Amino acid sequence: MDNLFSRDEKKQYQLEQINDLVENNGGLIKTSEIEALGVDYRRVLKFVEEGYLIRVKSGYYTTKYFECSEEEWIYKLFGEDGILTIESALYVYGYLNDRPYKWSIAINKNTSKSRFHIDYPIVEPYYTEPEVLELGVTETDFAGGKMKIYTKERLICDVLKYQEKIDREIFKQGVWAYIMDENKDVAKLMEYAKERKVLKKVQTMVGVWL
């Protein structure tokens, strides 16, 4: 190919091949898949530097031509075993007016930490013991599919549990929205509060309004 194309033509040809591969793979391709096209790693780094390729996480790339919302990326990356929690779940339930800048994902504590070494979108993992990970899990419509999310009651217990990690205004807005929710299940809230060891917090911070 070196003899048939000029440098610019070769570059354009490689980018077209990469973009086709991205489209066929639903938005994500591996370094090895790019190199299989005859593009060496130095060229991959150059394409990233020039903005043609976007590094999503270690060893995975997309292109600037592939249009994908943050929700779609979250679904592609964590839809199989991740659970929407904290800020993200509060937003999905309509408890927050604005979508937080980061995505909160509950995940098995034994999962590889490298999965969260990503540049986009911004994700905060909540590593959870396997025995409590699936406690209070349901599903919600998300990015054209179904994604796991904690029930409102399990969610509020976790919001109280991780209060120190949450923006103060988001915390107040989320908890108050739950208190005002006509479809809340107080009995379930207390049940999960015992399991998550936040019963006293629930009684003092939420119970007085119920």
Side-chain angles (χ1 to χ4, degrees):
M1 189 169 71
D2 292 334
N3 296 326
L4 296 175
F5 298 104
S6 67
R7 179 176 296 179
D8 286 343
E9 288 173 333
K10 179 180 178 182
K11 176 181 178 180
Q12 187 60 38
Y13 176 74
Q14 290 177 332
L15 287 172
E16 289 174 358
Q17 281 189 304
I18 291 171
N19 193 57
D20 287 343
L21 188 61
V22 168
E23 291 288 346
N24 292 334
N25 283 17
L28 277 181
I29 53 175
K30 301 177 183 178
T31 306
S32 58
E33 293 172 323
I34 302 175
E35 292 176 337
L37 297 174
V39 183
D40 66 41
Y41 189 60
R42 287 176 298 177
R43 174 61 63 181
V44 172
L45 295 179
K46 188 67 174 175
F47 285 160
V48 172
E49 182 182 325
E50 294 174 345
Y52 294 107
L53 271 179
I54 301 168
R55 178 186 176 277
V56 179
K57 61 178 181 176
S58 180
Y60 286 82
Y61 300 86
T62 189
T63 73
K64 69 176 183 179
Y65 308 108
F66 187 82
E67 295 185 5
C68 190
S69 67
E70 286 195 19
E71 285 83 354
E72 289 171 315
W73 278 126
I74 291 298
Y75 185 72
K76 288 176 187 293
L77 294 169
F78 307 108
E80 187 174 336
D81 59 346
I83 304 170
L84 294 169
T85 188
I86 311 299
E87 291 100 326
S88 297
L90 289 173
Y91 176 73
V92 170
Y93 281 127
Y95 287 175
L96 302 180
N97 296 325
D98 301 311
R99 190 185 72 188
Y101 74 95
K102 62 184 177 182
W103 290 92
S104 305
I105 303 294
I107 200 81
N108 189 315
K109 64 172 292 187
N110 299 317
T111 196
S112 171
K113 305 300 186 288
S114 64
R115 289 181 62 191
F116 292 90
H117 297 164
I118 59 178
D119 298 330
Y120 175 86
I122 299 173
V123 178
E124 180 173 17
Y126 282 79
Y127 297 108
T128 308
E129 297 286 348
E131 56 268 25
V132 296
L133 181 66
E134 297 292 331
L135 178 70
V137 169
T138 185
E139 286 187 328
T140 186
D141 293 327
F142 190 83
K146 293 284 187 180
M147 188 160 177
K148 291 180 179 180
I149 187 172
Y150 285 125
T151 61
K152 296 173 181 179
E153 284 67 37
R154 160 72 195 259
L155 169 63
I156 292 303
C157 289
D158 282 359
V159 166
L160 293 171
K161 188 177 186 71
Y162 297 112
Q163 180 181 355
E164 298 304 318
K165 297 180 65 174
I166 304 171
D167 176 85
R168 186 176 179 183
E169 287 306 312
I170 288 178
F171 175 82
K172 288 165 57 179
Q173 187 178 339
V175 172
W176 185 249
Y178 174 78
I179 290 170
M180 300 300 292
D181 190 339
E182 295 180 356
N183 296 316
K184 61 182 174 290
D185 187 331
V186 177
K188 273 290 182 185
L189 177 66
M190 294 305 176
E191 180 183 324
Y192 289 134
K194 292 176 184 176
E195 292 280 353
R196 301 299 286 146
K197 297 179 173 58
V198 290
L199 182 58
K200 190 172 182 179
K201 267 194 169 186
V202 168
Q203 291 172 333
T204 57
M205 299 181 71
V206 180
V208 293
W209 298 100
L210 301 179

